[in-house]
Amino acid sequence: MTLRVIYAGTPEFAVPALRALATDPTIELVAVYTQPDRPSGRGQKLTPSPVKAVALELGLPVEQPITLRDESAQQTLAAYRPDLMVVAAYGLILPVAVLETPRLGAVNIHASLLPRWRGAAPIARAIEAGDTETGITIMQMAQGLDTGDMLLKRVEPIHPEDTAATLHDRLSQLGGEALMAALPGIVAGTLPAEVQNDDEACYAAKLAKAEGLIDWREPAEVLARRIRAFDPWPAAYTELAGAMLKIWSAACEDMTEGSAAEPGTVIAVDAAGFVVRTGAGALRVRTCQQAGGKRIAAADFARNRPLMGVRLG
């Protein structure tokens, strides 16, 4: 007997788990739910989500409701007679009526070790906070933001050079592996459900573009983490001669000169990039990008530019 599964996801993060489910002969993917197509690119052409693109490639039925709160959408979902709903970064709130429709309920693939980093941006917030590890939690979905019982966890280290992009790619693969490891226990009802300790919870707020603006008065260590956390979006940026300059890679630097300079001042330029005074310590910029340009080595950017002593921001 096959397990009738509805999959709900939208971005690249949700793709590996969908592909993993599609390869399991004991599973019938009866429908894939994803966000409606969005305008994208310079031409603002309507573009399917990464999950929709893969679902169509696999020949699976696709549903793209604007909301699941209305009765019509709920009746459509119920008509698929799902045994289980699997959710990964779907982007729509699931009302109780939907959560209770599948015989086995709904499980979520969450990119953190709950209850740490509930919410929309767990990967970036973990890097920004200086966490040394994160992971995947397979969670039974319930009302409330990522508050359901935890069924299975997989730990993933955060390396010193990790960006949100590199960590995202590893966690998305781990999400698919963790789901498939948890699935037999979910079906058999043998996985112990661990209640989350709300006292240990913290919230991963959605990223905002304005957060990318670098305040050079902050410590170098904080800025270095934020630059990695905001790659690829919203990107950390500063201002140079009235134009935006994105900073993609930087590291803390021992400061032997320029300690009296104002935060944001370029205090060294050499073959490895340029160094900026911060509120505490200095930051060596290694990769940057001008508006309309490509990411380039900071050393190349600094070549033939009078950066020494210039104030950024």
Side-chain angles (χ1 to χ4, degrees), residues 221-237:
E221 184 179 351
V222 171
L223 294 178
R225 291 202 304 262
R226 195 165 294 151
I227 288 167
R228 293 190 291 115
F230 291 174
D231 179 358
W233 198 89
Y237 61 93

Side-chain angles (χ1 to χ4, degrees), residues 4 37 44 139 160-161 226 304:
R4 296 175 63 83
D37 297 0
Q44 291 294 283
M139 174 191 66
E161 297 295 320
R226 195 165 294 151
N304 301 322

